[in-house]
Amino acid sequence: MRRALAWGFAACAVLTPGSAGAVTSGVTHSMPASSTVAHAAPSTAGVPSGRHGDAFGASATGHATAAARPTLALADVTPTVAAPDTDVTVRVTVRNTTDDVATPTVSVGVGGRLATREDVARHASRPDDLPERARTTGTALAPDATATVAVTLPAEQLRLPRPYGVLPLTVSVSGLGPTGRMATFLPYQVIKEYEPLRLGVALPLTADPDPALLTGDAQARTQAWTRMLGPDSRAERTVRAAEATGATLVADPSLLGASPAATDATATPTPTPSPTPAETDPRTAFAARVAETGNDVWFLPPGDPDVSALASAAPTLPRPPVTPTTVPGTDRAALSVAWPAGSSTSRIRSAITDASSPGAVLMRESLSDADTERTGTASRRDDAGRRIVVADDRLSTDLTEVTEETAPAIAQRALADSVALLAESPGLDRSFLLLPERGLDPDTAGIVQVVRTLQAAPWISGVPTKDIVAAPATREPVTDPGTSPEAPASPLTGENVGEVLATAGLASGLRPSIGDGLIPPMSNRC
């Protein structure tokens, strides 16, 4: 009983102070601040988006502005990957922000090959003044009118050093009020001299923060699940994006109606109310929806508790509820994973794996790589032999930020970042994983365009995530953070765990008198 409650009531009580974002079963996971960039890619016709952003709502350099609206946004770069002796066309959408009829002039500057991912990021955030290689004057525009202007870069104006790389482009527009400027990129390939990067994509499928799931009666909880899993929900958009891209779903099994028992054989069963009939439980229909996609699923611990905060609170973790081993309604195997929020030290990883034996621990690349100038492969084992799967958080952030309107700019930037990633170790067989943070509110069409653009690049081979996990793991160092997180420590400590458990026992004792709806049992809350 104590073990089940420690992952149940105690896990529901754990907060990561100072964090913001997705709260699952009362557990807050921190999420990164967004930062927008620029891009271009294949068609996503027929893919509903669900969430939209104005391409003009970000400045020409990719950052939101509170003052004047920008005057240009990238429409596309054709081809997205350049080749020798081939002209390249850059199309931008321009807006007349003056009060008079005005005529836009668009110019494109081209720079020398960018060497590193940091060079790509620097140009994206602050476009350089580059030698102009082409210019086009458009037609006159009425105030606040928009038009698409195409600028063609002749092949002879493009120097493409062998064997592959990425050139920075700076697009400028004048004649429509203040001069606007925007960074984009031109990846290219002259000859194949590399081992292709293997790309896997995973999308988080976790709960929305809804107090009704914790405090409501049966009807209120059903309504909350309906809002969370319905046809216009964040969860449904995530499933659509996964379906269109072949992405793995990293899912909280409680969203699919899984109610696993505690693994402690001595645990006393917790009284539970009469279950909601399967035909009226929104999770039943949603589980069938996930099953019919055929996509792979990785299961988090039920309720997606903050395992990092739990592991930081005590030397050892109690054994959590059993994670399902198959996708509900199918015989397809589902990998169990642990996904600590924020940093994950060796001690935290040890506590997690000792308690639950996950098939893999998910980590972020920026918190894992010892060498800041070289990105390691996704599949690794740490010094203790634990399987670690590392997500590339720089490219993953693109999926968090993208909308259908900003997709051309973000896809082009993602391509540039990927070719710089390739250049770090072109002769090695490496994989990388895209995994946005919890709480992803996806624009389906935008995500599809970015992923398909990357998958179409000649230096990238799209693979199922199970191939990344099954690949021979390297012994690349997995570093421990050198400094503690800035947020204060979790309020859950070894000293007050007993108090939490006692309160849980008192709450369970009151349920028969107060009623099932007011104090849901542990299995329903987490």
Side-chain angles (χ1 to χ4, degrees):
M1 178 70 167
R2 291 176 63 87
R3 287 186 175 183
L5 285 173
W7 277 82
F9 187 87
C12 287
V14 175
L15 297 178
T16 305
S19 64
V23 181
T24 306
S25 300
V27 182
T28 301
H29 292 283
S30 60
M31 294 190 295
S34 64
S35 58
T36 312
V37 266
H39 110 312
S43 169
T44 55
V47 179
S49 176
R51 183 172 66 88
H52 298 279
D54 186 355
F56 286 102
S59 73
T61 60
H63 295 286
T65 57
R69 289 175 299 179
T71 57
L72 79 165
L74 186 67
D76 57 50
V77 176
T78 307
T80 54
V81 177
D85 304 319
T86 302
D87 295 348
V88 173
T89 299
V90 179
R91 294 194 315 137
V92 295
T93 301
V94 297
R95 170 181 282 144
N96 180 7
T97 58
T98 71
D99 295 329
D100 303 309
V101 174
T103 301
T105 297
V106 178
S107 62
V108 178
V110 183
R113 181 170 63 177
L114 300 174
T116 67
R117 301 184 75 178
E118 287 68 28
D119 291 340
V120 172
R122 189 178 305 112
H123 179 66
S125 63
R126 182 173 296 179
D128 296 320
D129 276 322
L130 301 175
E132 183 180 307
R133 295 292 182 242
R135 153 188 304 252
T136 297
T137 298
T139 58
L141 294 176
D144 206 40
T146 63
T148 299
V149 179
V151 182
T152 297
L153 293 164
E156 58 270 19
Q157 292 289 341
L158 299 173
R159 180 175 176 272
L160 308 179
R162 291 168 58 96
Y164 53 83
V166 58
L167 304 180
L169 305 182
T170 297
V171 183
S172 302
V173 60
S174 58
L176 302 178
T179 299
R181 194 164 68 167
M182 175 187 67
T184 189
F185 301 88
L186 183 62
Y188 67 88
Q189 177 173 295
V190 177
I191 188 171
K192 179 183 180 297
E193 291 184 357
Y194 52 75
E195 283 292 327
L197 293 167
R198 289 177 292 115
L199 166 66
V201 183
L203 299 176
L205 189 60
T206 54
D208 293 330
D210 194 329
L213 294 177
L214 299 175
T215 61
D217 57 19
Q219 181 180 4
R221 291 200 299 273
T222 297
Q223 292 171 345
W225 285 120
T226 300
R227 289 191 297 272
M228 190 184 303
L229 306 175
D232 298 322
S233 66
R234 181 174 65 86
E236 171 58 25
R237 293 199 305 276
T238 300
V239 172
R240 288 202 301 262
E243 200 171 22
T245 59
T248 293
L249 291 167
V250 183
D252 174 357
S254 64
L255 271 64
L256 308 184
S259 299
T263 58
D264 189 344
T266 65
T268 302
T270 302
T272 58
S274 299
T276 302
E279 62 271 16
T280 63
D281 189 340
R283 291 175 292 177
T284 302
F286 189 69
R289 169 78 175 96
V290 171
E292 73 181 8
T293 67
N295 289 56
D296 288 338
V297 176
W298 292 350
F299 274 136
L300 299 161
D304 190 22
D306 191 336
V307 292
S308 182
L310 286 169
S312 299
T316 59
L317 274 174
R319 192 166 293 277
V322 175
T323 300
T325 57
T326 59
V327 179
T330 76
D331 57 1
R332 299 202 314 270
L335 181 72
S336 66
V337 297
W339 189 8
S343 302
S344 176
T345 65
S346 179
R347 189 189 71 76
I348 288 174
R349 295 195 299 273
S350 177
I352 292 170
T353 54
D354 288 348
S356 58
S357 302
V361 177
L362 307 182
M363 295 182 63
R364 289 162 53 194
E365 155 259 323
S366 61
L367 300 176
S368 308
D369 284 338
D371 185 351
T372 58
E373 296 183 357
R374 178 182 172 277
T375 308
T377 193
S379 181
R380 313 183 193 182
R381 289 195 185 275
D382 64 11
D383 292 340
R386 291 177 286 260
R387 171 73 70 170
I388 309 295
V389 177
V390 177
D392 189 297
D393 46 352
R394 285 176 277 189
L395 280 164
S396 297
T397 299
D398 290 338
L399 302 189
T400 301
E401 299 171 342
V402 68
T403 66
E404 186 174 9
E405 291 77 9
T406 62
I410 292 180
Q412 206 66 22
R413 183 204 178 281
L415 272 178
D417 197 24
S418 72
V419 75
L421 169 62
L422 172 73
E424 293 174 348
S425 300
L428 296 182
D429 179 16
R430 289 187 296 159
S431 60
F432 68 108
L433 174 70
L434 303 188
L435 174 59
E437 286 288 347
R438 290 173 175 88
L440 172 70
D441 186 11
D443 181 292
T444 305
I447 286 179
V448 170
Q449 185 168 340
V450 172
V451 172
R452 288 181 179 174
T453 298
L454 288 171
Q455 292 171 336
W459 52 84
I460 290 178
S461 173
V463 298
T465 55
K466 60 186 176 185
D467 290 358
I468 292 178
V469 175
T474 69
R475 288 279 181 174
E476 293 191 51
V478 178
T479 61
D480 280 358
T483 57
S484 300
E486 294 181 3
S490 166
L492 186 67
T493 67
E495 290 72 24
N496 64 26
V497 165
E499 296 178 15
V500 173
L501 294 175
T503 304
L506 176 61
S508 292
L510 291 173
R511 286 183 61 254
S513 300
I514 297 178
D516 289 339
L518 297 179
I519 306 178
M522 210 58 54
S523 60
N524 283 1
R525 287 184 290 180
C526 296

